[in-house]
Amino acid sequence: MTFPVVGMVGGGQLARMTHEAGIPLGIKFKLLSETPQESAAQVVGDVVIGDYRDLDTLRDFARGCDVITFDHEHVPTEHLRALEADGIPVRPGPDALVHAQDKGVMRAKLVEIGVPCPRHRLVSDPADVVAFAAEGGGTSRSGGAESGGGFPVVLKTVRGGYDGKGVWVVDSAEEAAEPFRAGVPVLAEEKVDFVRELAANVVRSPHGQAVAYPVVESQQVNGVCDTVIAPAPDLDESLALQAEEMALRIAKELGVVGHLAVELFQTRDGRILVNELAMRPHNSGHWTQDGAITSQFANHVRAVLDLPLGDPRARAPWTVMCNVLGGDYPDMYSAYLHCMARDPQLKIHMYGKDVKPGRKVGHVNTYGDDLDDVLDRARHAAGYLRGTITE
């Protein structure tokens, strides 16, 4: 029997963990990585070093691959169309992926299909931002009335932002100048009054089979995901069902193949609004490695190969994922003795990255019957690995 070859564009930790999920199935991986030091390049056997922005490099890489998929959304859309024209299956395809690449395109499509989003508009300059703010009324962050009304406003570059990069919260025309200096289109959005952030993760195959994972709470620190709790605590069942159905409908309407993460705001008045889309395995789904019957990575592999999808249900009442960020102690391995002895059920996932302050270098998963205990164990382990907890 000949097993298929999955071509993975991007050498980060998502590619590393997707490759790991394919190993038990005998799936072969070919990796396009920018450097030999990237996370996935350290563990995948067949690695091509090259620039994903170069079409000839992509075409050469795709030879011998049965399907192409990604661990990021940055491959130029026109290059993906060229690969499809060459007869190479690209999953998700460019018609779907553009909605994760371009926030303006994404917002327009979601409005078209009736998905609730924050108030938004493409803006051309700081004066346009003031006009957008005035349309919404409201007050500033300091609580006083603004001359433009409706501040603060969230500004986002339409392409390329992640982990808080390419995002600004501004309170005046002066503060709004910075995003326009890069010379790229900017999207203005209302600053949503939300109680927490949620994420709905779904996976869809080419023939339309789809599964939904439990809706999770995603807690951010300085624009970076810090903790994910599965399922989201105290989430009304009807709202959880609404979020799952919304994510499944988005996947179908956009023609997504593979994993789709729908990042959501839960508002103070009881609504859910779509914040962002990601069409690849996602940080909010890392808990599934140890907490679900079939992980997001395994189901992404199944989906892009059009295999039957696996069961997304949780194995335990609660699972918590905490990201391990780099700190002032680069020797994280020395912390294993303490972490593993303290919690034999702890699952540690490291990415093979150099430790730099604030950089995601790994994550931990814990699970169990008592949420407070599961949270404490995950946060202690992540803090001890980083060096912010020493006992």
Side-chain angles (χ1 to χ4, degrees):
M1 180 180 292
T2 301
F3 284 79
V5 177
V6 174
M8 175 68 76
V9 179
Q13 64 262 26
L14 300 179
R16 179 186 180 111
M17 291 182 279
T18 305
H19 165 257
E20 178 186 4
I23 291 173
L25 302 177
I27 305 301
K28 300 175 183 178
F29 271 74
K30 184 178 180 182
L31 184 73
L32 179 60
S33 178
E34 291 189 88
T35 72
Q37 291 77 38
E38 286 197 79
S39 179
Q42 301 172 26
V43 297
V44 176
D46 189 356
V47 180
V48 174
I49 306 301
D51 187 349
Y52 63 84
R53 293 161 293 197
D54 180 74
L55 179 56
D56 289 337
T57 298
L58 282 170
R59 281 179 160 146
D60 289 343
F61 168 75
R63 293 191 182 97
C65 295
D66 294 285
V67 64
I68 298 294
T69 191
F70 318 92
D71 91 332
H72 61 71
E73 292 103 346
H74 305 315
V75 180
T77 311
E78 61 273 18
H79 290 3
L80 301 181
R81 297 193 193 284
L83 291 182
E84 284 195 328
D86 293 343
I88 299 164
V90 176
R91 294 171 179 165
D95 290 339
L97 192 62
V98 68
H99 298 92
Q101 294 174 320
D102 190 305
K103 294 178 177 64
V105 172
M106 178 263 289
R107 283 283 181 246
K109 182 64 176 179
L110 293 183
V111 170
E112 177 188 325
I113 65 177
V115 171
C117 299
R119 187 176 66 88
H120 61 276
R121 179 159 61 79
L122 291 171
V123 288
S124 56
D125 54 37
D128 204 10
V129 176
V130 172
F132 172 82
E135 294 165 8
T139 58
S140 71
R141 280 173 288 186
S142 60
E146 283 289 322
S147 58
F151 280 103
V153 167
V154 179
L155 299 180
K156 302 177 179 180
T157 53
V158 297
R159 286 181 177 254
Y162 67 97
D163 283 351
K165 299 177 178 65
V167 179
W168 296 261
V169 180
V170 303
D171 219 353
S172 66
E174 291 73 23
E175 292 181 12
E178 176 65 25
F180 295 96
R181 292 188 180 123
V184 297
V186 174
L187 181 72
E189 294 183 350
E190 66 171 313
K191 189 172 187 299
V192 176
D193 184 20
F194 62 91
V195 293
R196 60 177 169 176
E197 294 185 56
L198 305 172
N201 290 279
V202 300
V203 184
R204 183 175 179 271
S205 70
H207 72 271
Q209 184 191 9
V211 297
Y213 288 94
V215 177
V216 301
E217 178 177 335
S218 178
Q219 300 176 356
Q220 316 295 313
V221 176
N222 297 323
V224 178
C225 179
D226 179 82
T227 303
V228 171
I229 305 172
D234 302 317
L235 180 62
D236 183 83
E237 185 176 349
S238 64
L239 207 59
L241 183 60
Q242 180 185 340
E244 291 180 11
E245 291 176 341
M246 183 188 298
L248 289 167
R249 182 157 67 89
I250 292 170
K252 180 180 179 181
E253 293 280 357
L254 273 55
V256 176
V257 172
H259 185 271
L260 170 69
V262 181
E263 298 179 57
L264 302 160
F265 294 125
Q266 181 181 355
T267 67
R268 294 190 186 278
D269 58 4
R271 297 173 296 143
I272 51 173
L273 303 176
V274 173
N275 180 24
E276 302 280 0
L277 302 180
M279 295 182 192
R280 49 172 171 74
H282 190 256
N283 206 165
S284 65
H286 287 358
W287 70 272
T288 64
Q289 281 178 298
D290 305 296
I293 294 171
T294 311
S295 76
Q296 64 166 347
F297 302 103
N299 262 335
H300 184 76
V301 171
R302 292 189 187 201
V304 300
L305 293 172
D306 206 9
L307 293 170
L309 301 181
D311 193 331
R313 287 178 299 169
R315 294 179 180 271
W318 299 103
T319 303
V320 171
M321 187 283 310
C322 281
N323 277 319
V324 177
L325 303 182
D328 297 326
Y329 302 94
D331 182 18
M332 289 190 174
Y333 181 72
S334 64
Y336 281 13
L337 180 65
H338 169 86
C339 291
M340 292 177 177
R342 185 178 189 271
D343 187 357
Q345 292 187 339
L346 176 71
K347 303 297 184 181
I348 300 175
H349 301 269
M350 301 302 287
Y351 306 153
K353 292 181 174 181
D354 291 336
V355 176
K356 298 178 181 178
R359 185 186 198 186
K360 290 180 187 175
V361 294
H363 68 271
V364 297
N365 287 329
T366 57
Y367 49 87
D369 298 330
D370 182 271
L371 177 56
D372 289 338
D373 174 67
V374 175
L375 267 170
D376 176 74
R377 288 160 48 208
R379 287 171 172 163
H380 183 278
Y384 198 92
L385 287 165
R386 187 177 187 180
T388 54
I389 296 174
T390 57
E391 58 183 10

